[in-house]
Amino acid sequence: MKLYFAPGACSLSPHIVLHEAGLAAQTEKVDLGSKKTASGVDFTQVNPKGYVPALVLDDGTVLTEGPAIVQYLADQRPAARLVPENGTLPRYQLQELLNFISTEIHKSYSPLFKPNSTPEMKQAFIDLLNRRYDTVEQMLAKHQYIAGDQFTVADAYLFTVTGWSRVLKIDLLSSRPNLAAYMERVGSRPAVQSAMRAEGLI
């Protein structure tokens, strides 16, 4: 397999899952501005959508979209317990969480990175993020991880996008002790450290 990533982008989530599952895969960095890979390939030939992550399987099939990729990877190594078994209610609840992170949190960060977003627009999305993280804070009051007391692919995704708040200098942690402890807990996992090191983030 080969994972195409951009350092610190949402592709960090499947990168973490690769390390957590102990799966062998090549990785290749993508310049999202030029749409060129580290080896000079036009990335839009790999993923016509033009964004990471993209996972090329051994047979040449290309998977895109982080929530799909992380579940595929986790299903390759069931013993790692990164996802509940397919067809069970906990699996659907995990998919519920992945959708929440994707649509309500991940996408709310996107306008904050765009230079043409007005200050008013940015503040509206910051306010939305704060409301969403209030929900996350309540969820984390009950468990060590977002889906319970077992680390799952949803944690790889939530940790990745929440890390963007530091880059944007948005303080989400000082008023949310559960979230602050969670970010410390996930960030200290050896596999998470390995993935971040591989991307040059630490």
Side-chain angles (χ1 to χ4, degrees), residues 98-186:
L98 288 170
N99 277 300
F100 172 71
I101 297 164
S102 179
T103 61
E104 299 299 322
I105 298 180
H106 180 170
K107 285 304 175 186
S108 296
Y109 277 105
S110 298
L112 304 178
F113 286 102
K114 293 178 180 175
N116 60 346
S117 293
T118 65
E120 294 78 13
M121 185 186 300
K122 288 184 177 181
Q123 189 57 54
F125 279 99
I126 290 170
D127 292 345
L128 177 59
L129 280 169
N130 272 294
R131 292 195 296 274
R132 296 298 179 249
Y133 277 106
D134 284 343
T135 301
V136 171
E137 176 73 5
Q138 293 169 12
M139 294 166 77
L140 290 172
K142 302 171 186 174
H143 303 288
Q144 294 284 295
Y145 297 103
I146 197 63
D149 290 320
Q150 170 72 30
F151 179 92
T152 69
V153 297
D155 296 297
Y157 194 11
L158 181 60
F159 174 82
T160 294
V161 296
T162 304
W164 297 341
S165 65
R166 296 188 188 114
V167 177
L168 293 163
K169 295 181 169 54
I170 302 169
D171 181 14
L172 296 174
L173 304 185
S174 64
S175 62
R176 298 180 181 89
N178 297 326
L179 180 63
Y182 169 84
M183 290 298 287
E184 182 70 26
R185 186 180 307 120
V186 176

Side-chain angles (χ1 to χ4, degrees), residues 73-91:
L73 292 173
D75 281 332
Q76 306 313 300
R77 191 62 58 83
R81 298 175 60 210
L82 296 170
V83 288
E85 187 178 347
N86 262 314
T88 64
L89 180 59
R91 181 60 171 259

